[in-house]
Amino acid sequence: MTFQKFHGLLKQAAQLNGSAQIANISSGFGALAQAMMDAIYPPTLYAMSKAALNMLTRRLAFEWKKDNIRATAFTPGWVRTDMGSANATLSVEESTTALTKLIMGLTEEHNGEFFRYTGEKSPW
């Protein structure tokens, strides 16, 4: 998988800077807490792919912690994109500005967690 190809580079970055950070952009639809929602959207395969990304985030947070590499997942909110539609509540700029601020402020205590673009913890 792609993440394995980056392990060596992330390890080098952590040695130079004290730590390295993986920021995975997931979705609230990947949360098992929402699996039984009465919804026809998103499609099941999309939700499953995001649940798999969430599991990868948790596993890497544990497995690569010894190398000072952290992994955190984020849900960007409902964003006006081709997928989100014109009805979405956030512009791309609003979501990415908030996510950038969150990602740049991450510390060890955020390792292995899942956050909304607002900074609130999201249920797995």
Side-chain angles (χ1 to χ4, degrees):
M1 292 186 73
T2 304
F3 70 91
Q4 292 169 319
K5 297 290 184 185
F6 285 98
H7 185 242
L9 293 172
L10 288 164
K11 198 171 176 179
Q12 287 177 1
Q15 289 168 346
L16 290 172
N17 301 306
S19 66
Q21 179 68 52
I22 298 167
N24 287 324
I25 305 302
S26 184
S27 169
F29 290 114
L32 294 179
Q34 292 194 18
M36 300 305 290
M37 285 179 45
D38 185 24
I40 57 172
Y41 188 84
T44 298
L45 291 178
Y46 174 81
M48 288 174 59
S49 73
K50 293 305 184 175
L53 179 62
N54 290 348
M55 175 61 85
L56 176 64
T57 301
R58 293 285 286 194
R59 296 295 305 171
L60 291 181
F62 173 74
E63 293 173 13
W64 291 2
K65 185 176 181 173
K66 66 185 179 321
D67 296 324
N68 293 319
I69 301 169
R70 302 185 299 249
T72 309
F74 297 89
T75 177
W78 188 23
V79 184
R80 286 188 296 274
T81 62
D82 289 344
M83 184 176 171
S85 82
N87 297 325
T89 56
L90 295 169
S91 70
V92 170
E93 293 77 16
E94 290 168 322
S95 177
T96 57
T97 298
L99 287 170
T100 300
K101 186 175 179 180
L102 286 171
I103 292 166
M104 296 305 292
L106 292 173
T107 64
E108 178 60 34
E109 71 184 63
H110 302 107
N111 189 35
E113 297 293 342
F114 185 24
F115 292 96
R116 293 182 175 96
Y117 73 97
T118 59
E120 300 169 84
K121 277 191 181 179
S122 186
W124 288 108

